[in-house]
Amino acid sequence: MGDETTTVVGAGISGVACARALRAAGVPVRVVDRGRRPGGRMGGRTLAGRPVDLGASYLTASPGSPFEAVVADWVRRGLAAPWTDTFAVAGPDGLERTTTGPLRFGTPGGLRTLVVDLARELDVEQERAVTTVTAGPAVDAEPVGAVVLAMPDPQAARLLAPGAPVARALDPGSWQPALAVALGWPARQWPADLHGAFVHDHPVLEWVADDGDRRGDGAPVLVAHTTAAFAARHLDDPGAAGPQVAGAVRRMLGIAEEPAWTHVHRWSHARPTAPREAPFALDGGIGLCGDGWSAPSKVEGAWRSGDALGSALAAALR
């Protein structure tokens, strides 16, 4: 990697945003990631012949923010599209009302395509598992100019050697799991204007998204995200939770038929319980960024965290 190269570990949107800021400032940078493709928790799977988002459900952009310009460019090039500002609200007994909020954006090809787009000019090495980050700094005992860990705190804590100053900023116990369950039917059996539903006081469900609606192809696919407590009980065998989640979705939306297919994805570290207001941490040439920083925890916050750390690290390395 070379002594002057900054290594970003994690090719989600925060890591890629950090690497882009470093590259724009003239800092040699390389991104490594243990997965097969960029995306992180903006990833998904191809199911029944089409992409399905299983991580982040959508993105928003604060008016006048730098991220708004990034999203506008994606929309101009057809990578993202306005989705909706209205969702349903549901409880244990079913749909209750609707609520409005900021405009949400979806993606025809899946949210992962946005991260892939940001990474197109970067040096990214996939399927590269890092085991240790030490003071110096060094990645797996190889000296580098600086290191960025763009990932949830529990994963960063496993990589950092004991005694690394920046480790004091981590809070590994603050992250919650979730299961994302994709459900496909032969035809749509729920209201056309559902878009998605925030679910409260439910033992299984926290959020349900109409994947065909947000993708723009009308496919009869829903994606349900479970509560942290339900996910915690099924982390060892997530697939076994599929029928319970399908039953809960059917009861909530009044769907008579069983889904034709189901896919369960486990997120062991889905979201932080209390994302920090600070945008990042940087100490001893080792930086931390991601959606656990730059509250609230969402796609824009993750991008903002990585972009801010990249700029700060570039200034520190000059």
Side-chain angles (χ1 to χ4, degrees), residues 194-300:
L194 175 68
H195 307 306
F198 298 120
V199 189
H200 66 85
D201 300 321
H202 198 285
V204 177
L205 303 174
E206 191 164 276
W207 158 252
V208 177
D210 185 330
D211 196 67
D213 190 56
R214 68 182 171 190
R215 185 82 65 248
D217 63 0
V221 177
L222 297 174
V223 177
H225 292 250
T226 72
T227 65
F230 180 85
R233 297 194 298 270
H234 295 85
L235 289 180
D236 291 338
D237 186 12
Q244 279 184 263
V245 177
V249 170
R250 289 174 56 217
R251 287 188 293 274
M252 186 182 75
L253 298 181
I255 299 174
E257 295 182 21
E258 293 276 358
W261 57 265
T262 302
H263 177 85
V264 182
H265 185 90
R266 175 183 61 199
W267 297 103
S268 298
H269 312 300
R271 55 187 172 269
T273 55
R276 309 159 181 88
E277 294 296 331
F280 58 84
L282 178 60
D283 197 335
I286 301 175
L288 307 171
C289 65
D291 63 349
W293 302 83
S294 200
S297 177
K298 55 184 181 179
V299 171
E300 180 176 6

Side-chain angles (χ1 to χ4, degrees), residues 54-84:
L54 298 173
S57 292
Y58 52 76
L59 60 130
T60 59
S62 301
S65 69
F67 190 61
E68 183 183 41
V70 175
V71 174
D73 180 60
W74 283 330
V75 171
R76 180 183 60 80
R77 293 188 287 127
L79 294 176
W83 178 24
T84 184

Side-chain angles (χ1 to χ4, degrees), residues 13-228:
I13 193 167
S14 186
V16 169
C18 182
R20 283 175 62 92
L22 287 163
R23 184 178 183 273
V27 177
V29 59
R30 185 182 193 185
V31 181
V32 298
D33 189 271
R34 67 182 182 179
R36 290 183 293 176
R37 293 178 292 172
R41 281 169 299 131
M42 287 176 67
R45 292 285 297 273
T46 298
L47 302 171
R50 62 185 292 281
V52 177
D53 280 319
L54 298 173
S57 292
Y58 52 76
L59 60 130
T60 59
S62 301
S65 69
F67 190 61
E68 183 183 41
V70 175
V71 174
D73 180 60
W74 283 330
V75 171
R76 180 183 60 80
R77 293 188 287 127
L79 294 176
W83 178 24
T84 184
D85 64 358
T86 303
F87 290 130
V89 176
D93 297 326
L95 298 176
E96 299 172 348
R97 57 185 176 87
T98 60
T99 184
T100 59
L103 177 63
R104 280 80 168 186
F105 294 84
T107 52
L111 286 169
R112 183 195 300 275
T113 60
L114 305 182
V115 185
V116 171
D117 180 66
L118 289 178
R120 64 189 184 278
E121 296 177 354
L122 297 174
D123 178 9
V124 181
E125 181 183 353
Q126 299 292 155
E127 299 185 277
R128 164 75 156 84
V130 170
T131 58
T132 308
V133 173
T134 53
V139 175
D140 293 339
E142 184 175 354
V144 294
V147 185
V148 169
L149 299 180
M151 61 189 64
D153 286 28
Q155 295 174 339
R158 288 198 295 266
L159 298 185
L160 279 172
V166 77
R168 292 192 296 265
L170 293 172
D171 186 8
S174 69
W175 285 71
Q176 297 180 327
L179 301 180
V181 183
L183 308 162
W185 281 266
R188 297 172 62 87
Q189 302 182 51
W190 50 91
D193 60 351
L194 175 68
H195 307 306
F198 298 120
V199 189
H200 66 85
D201 300 321
H202 198 285
V204 177
L205 303 174
E206 191 164 276
W207 158 252
V208 177
D210 185 330
D211 196 67
D213 190 56
R214 68 182 171 190
R215 185 82 65 248
D217 63 0
V221 177
L222 297 174
V223 177
H225 292 250
T226 72
T227 65

